[in-house]
């Protein structure tokens, strides 16, 4: 069953409820829940989630995501501060707690020209949006 993730027919999770805890512990609609590691950690920290156990998938089944952080030239100073905090020791400790690995300053090898073009495209769209907001 696809209980989350944009399924228009998914059951509604009441406001303020964690979806993993809700489906696994409260409604018992599922015996297991395939989710991101961070979602599992959040569910464990939620009221009623202390009985949940995270089992990591074997490497050949695990989906990995590479996230990036980019700031624009002349970006809002608060955005710069957020980026600096994320990259700070305290920010990295928080991310590590939730299963994220240390940052790298390069584009991963498997990310070819398409990923670079996508990143540049997103940056241009954000720059246009920023210019419109200033008007």
């Amino acid at each position: 069953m696809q209980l989350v993730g944009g399924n228009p027919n998914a059951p509604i999770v009441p406001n303020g409820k964690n979806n993993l805890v809700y489906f696994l512990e409260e409604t018992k609609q599922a015996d297991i829940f395939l989710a991101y590691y961070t979602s599992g950690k959040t569910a464990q920290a939620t009221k009623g989630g202390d009985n949940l156990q995270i089992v990591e998938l074997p490497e050949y089944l695990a989906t990995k995501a590479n996230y990036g952080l980019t700031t624009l030239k002349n970006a809002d100073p608060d955005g710069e501060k957020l980026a600096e905090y994320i990259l700070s020791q305290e920010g990295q400790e928080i991310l590590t707690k939730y299963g994220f690995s240390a940052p790298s300053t390069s584009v991963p090898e498997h990310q070819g020209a398409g990923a670079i073009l996508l990143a540049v495209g997103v940056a241009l769209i954000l720059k246009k949006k920023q210019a419109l907001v200033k008007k």
Side-chain angles (χ1 to χ4, degrees), residues 4-5 17-24 33-50 52-56 67 95 97-100:
V4 296
K17 299 277 186 178
N18 177 281
N19 55 8
L20 276 74
V21 174
Y22 181 72
F23 291 123
L24 291 168
F33 206 106
L34 185 62
Y36 287 111
Y37 182 82
T38 50
S39 298
K41 293 296 280 184
T42 301
Q44 284 180 325
T46 302
K47 182 181 177 188
D50 51 342
L52 299 180
Q53 178 184 2
I54 296 173
V55 177
E56 292 189 45
Y67 296 97
L95 291 173
K97 175 181 170 185
Y98 287 95
F100 289 91

Side-chain angles (χ1 to χ4, degrees), residues 70-81 83 127 130 134:
T70 303
T71 57
L72 299 173
K73 290 180 184 176
N74 303 319
D76 184 303
D78 288 338
E80 291 285 339
K81 287 179 189 173
K127 189 170 185 174
Q130 188 178 29
K134 285 183 180 178

Side-chain angles (χ1 to χ4, degrees), residues 72-74 122-132:
L72 299 173
K73 290 180 184 176
N74 303 319
V122 169
L124 290 172
I125 290 167
L126 289 173
K127 189 170 185 174
K128 275 188 171 183
K129 183 177 178 183
Q130 188 178 29
L132 290 173

Side-chain angles (χ1 to χ4, degrees), residues 2 42 54 66 68 73 89 111:
Q2 183 182 349
T42 301
I54 296 173
N66 291 312
K73 290 180 184 176
Q89 183 174 343
Q111 305 253 346

